[in-house]
PDB file of all heavy atoms in Angstrom:
ATOM      1  N   ILE A 232      19.110 184.122 111.608  1.00  0.00           N
ATOM      2  CA  ILE A 232      18.499 184.346 112.851  1.00  0.00           C
ATOM      3  C   ILE A 232      19.020 183.372 113.834  1.00  0.00           C
ATOM      4  O   ILE A 232      19.018 182.179 113.607  1.00  0.00           O
ATOM      5  CB  ILE A 232      17.033 184.334 112.771  1.00  0.00           C
ATOM      6  CG1 ILE A 232      16.559 185.423 111.764  1.00  0.00           C
ATOM      7  CG2 ILE A 232      16.331 184.500 114.086  1.00  0.00           C
ATOM      8  CD1 ILE A 232      15.097 185.317 111.334  1.00  0.00           C
ATOM      9  N   ASN A 233      19.519 183.822 115.011  1.00  0.00           N
ATOM     10  CA  ASN A 233      20.182 182.934 115.997  1.00  0.00           C
ATOM     11  C   ASN A 233      19.135 182.489 117.073  1.00  0.00           C
ATOM     12  O   ASN A 233      18.062 183.102 117.314  1.00  0.00           O
ATOM     13  CB  ASN A 233      21.291 183.711 116.720  1.00  0.00           C
ATOM     14  CG  ASN A 233      22.609 183.738 115.900  1.00  0.00           C
ATOM     15  OD1 ASN A 233      22.662 183.050 114.853  1.00  0.00           O
ATOM     16  ND2 ASN A 233      23.537 184.504 116.377  1.00  0.00           N
ATOM     17  N   TYR A 234      19.617 181.500 117.757  1.00  0.00           N
ATOM     18  CA  TYR A 234      18.930 181.008 119.044  1.00  0.00           C
ATOM     19  C   TYR A 234      19.200 182.093 120.147  1.00  0.00           C
ATOM     20  O   TYR A 234      20.046 182.947 119.949  1.00  0.00           O
ATOM     21  CB  TYR A 234      19.454 179.750 119.494  1.00  0.00           C
ATOM     22  CG  TYR A 234      18.785 178.478 118.811  1.00  0.00           C
ATOM     23  CD1 TYR A 234      19.251 177.990 117.626  1.00  0.00           C
ATOM     24  CD2 TYR A 234      17.661 177.907 119.337  1.00  0.00           C
ATOM     25  CE1 TYR A 234      18.672 176.844 116.980  1.00  0.00           C
ATOM     26  CE2 TYR A 234      16.996 176.824 118.714  1.00  0.00           C
ATOM     27  CZ  TYR A 234      17.538 176.338 117.524  1.00  0.00           C
ATOM     28  OH  TYR A 234      16.983 175.308 116.931  1.00  0.00           O
ATOM     29  N   PRO A 235      18.496 182.107 121.189  1.00  0.00           N
ATOM     30  CA  PRO A 235      18.699 183.070 122.260  1.00  0.00           C
ATOM     31  C   PRO A 235      20.022 183.199 122.784  1.00  0.00           C
ATOM     32  O   PRO A 235      20.430 184.192 123.343  1.00  0.00           O
ATOM     33  CB  PRO A 235      17.700 182.559 123.329  1.00  0.00           C
ATOM     34  CG  PRO A 235      16.548 181.924 122.608  1.00  0.00           C
ATOM     35  CD  PRO A 235      17.313 181.169 121.539  1.00  0.00           C
ATOM     36  N   ASN A 236      20.900 182.102 122.700  1.00  0.00           N
ATOM     37  CA  ASN A 236      22.236 182.086 123.190  1.00  0.00           C
ATOM     38  C   ASN A 236      23.150 183.122 122.355  1.00  0.00           C
ATOM     39  O   ASN A 236      24.222 183.517 122.807  1.00  0.00           O
ATOM     40  CB  ASN A 236      22.910 180.849 123.233  1.00  0.00           C
ATOM     41  CG  ASN A 236      23.281 180.143 121.898  1.00  0.00           C
ATOM     42  OD1 ASN A 236      22.989 180.767 120.759  1.00  0.00           O
ATOM     43  ND2 ASN A 236      23.960 179.029 121.925  1.00  0.00           N
ATOM     44  N   GLY A 237      22.582 183.573 121.179  1.00  0.00           N
ATOM     45  CA  GLY A 237      23.260 184.543 120.297  1.00  0.00           C
ATOM     46  C   GLY A 237      24.415 184.025 119.520  1.00  0.00           C
ATOM     47  O   GLY A 237      25.101 184.707 118.850  1.00  0.00           O
ATOM     48  N   MET A 238      24.759 182.718 119.592  1.00  0.00           N
ATOM     49  CA  MET A 238      25.862 182.199 118.986  1.00  0.00           C
ATOM     50  C   MET A 238      25.685 180.978 118.068  1.00  0.00           C
ATOM     51  O   MET A 238      26.540 180.563 117.326  1.00  0.00           O
ATOM     52  CB  MET A 238      26.932 181.781 120.076  1.00  0.00           C
ATOM     53  CG  MET A 238      27.576 183.074 120.777  1.00  0.00           C
ATOM     54  SD  MET A 238      28.479 182.591 122.279  1.00  0.00           S
ATOM     55  CE  MET A 238      27.188 182.393 123.455  1.00  0.00           C
ATOM     56  N   SER A 239      24.467 180.424 118.149  1.00  0.00           N
ATOM     57  CA  SER A 239      24.090 179.268 117.324  1.00  0.00           C
ATOM     58  C   SER A 239      22.956 179.633 116.323  1.00  0.00           C
ATOM     59  O   SER A 239      21.955 180.217 116.756  1.00  0.00           O
ATOM     60  CB  SER A 239      23.698 178.118 118.148  1.00  0.00           C
ATOM     61  OG  SER A 239      24.761 177.746 119.015  1.00  0.00           O
ATOM     62  N   PHE A 240      23.148 179.334 115.009  1.00  0.00           N
ATOM     63  CA  PHE A 240      22.108 179.636 114.062  1.00  0.00           C
ATOM     64  C   PHE A 240      20.834 178.840 114.345  1.00  0.00           C
ATOM     65  O   PHE A 240      20.822 177.663 114.624  1.00  0.00           O
ATOM     66  CB  PHE A 240      22.477 179.277 112.636  1.00  0.00           C
ATOM     67  CG  PHE A 240      23.367 180.261 111.994  1.00  0.00           C
ATOM     68  CD1 PHE A 240      24.600 179.902 111.432  1.00  0.00           C
ATOM     69  CD2 PHE A 240      22.961 181.613 111.822  1.00  0.00           C
ATOM     70  CE1 PHE A 240      25.390 180.903 110.768  1.00  0.00           C
ATOM     71  CE2 PHE A 240      23.742 182.584 111.227  1.00  0.00           C
ATOM     72  CZ  PHE A 240      24.910 182.182 110.705  1.00  0.00           C
ATOM     73  N   GLN A 241      19.640 179.593 114.282  1.00  0.00           N
ATOM     74  CA  GLN A 241      18.412 178.921 114.268  1.00  0.00           C
ATOM     75  C   GLN A 241      17.808 178.698 112.882  1.00  0.00           C
ATOM     76  O   GLN A 241      17.380 177.637 112.566  1.00  0.00           O
ATOM     77  CB  GLN A 241      17.348 179.663 115.144  1.00  0.00           C
ATOM     78  CG  GLN A 241      16.057 178.805 115.313  1.00  0.00           C
ATOM     79  CD  GLN A 241      14.847 179.643 115.355  1.00  0.00           C
ATOM     80  OE1 GLN A 241      14.600 180.651 114.629  1.00  0.00           O
ATOM     81  NE2 GLN A 241      13.898 179.292 116.210  1.00  0.00           N
TER      82      GLN A 241
END
Side-chain angles (χ1 to χ4, degrees):
I232 299 168
N233 281 353
Y234 278 89
N236 72 356
M238 291 169 281
S239 301
F240 276 129
Q241 189 214 37

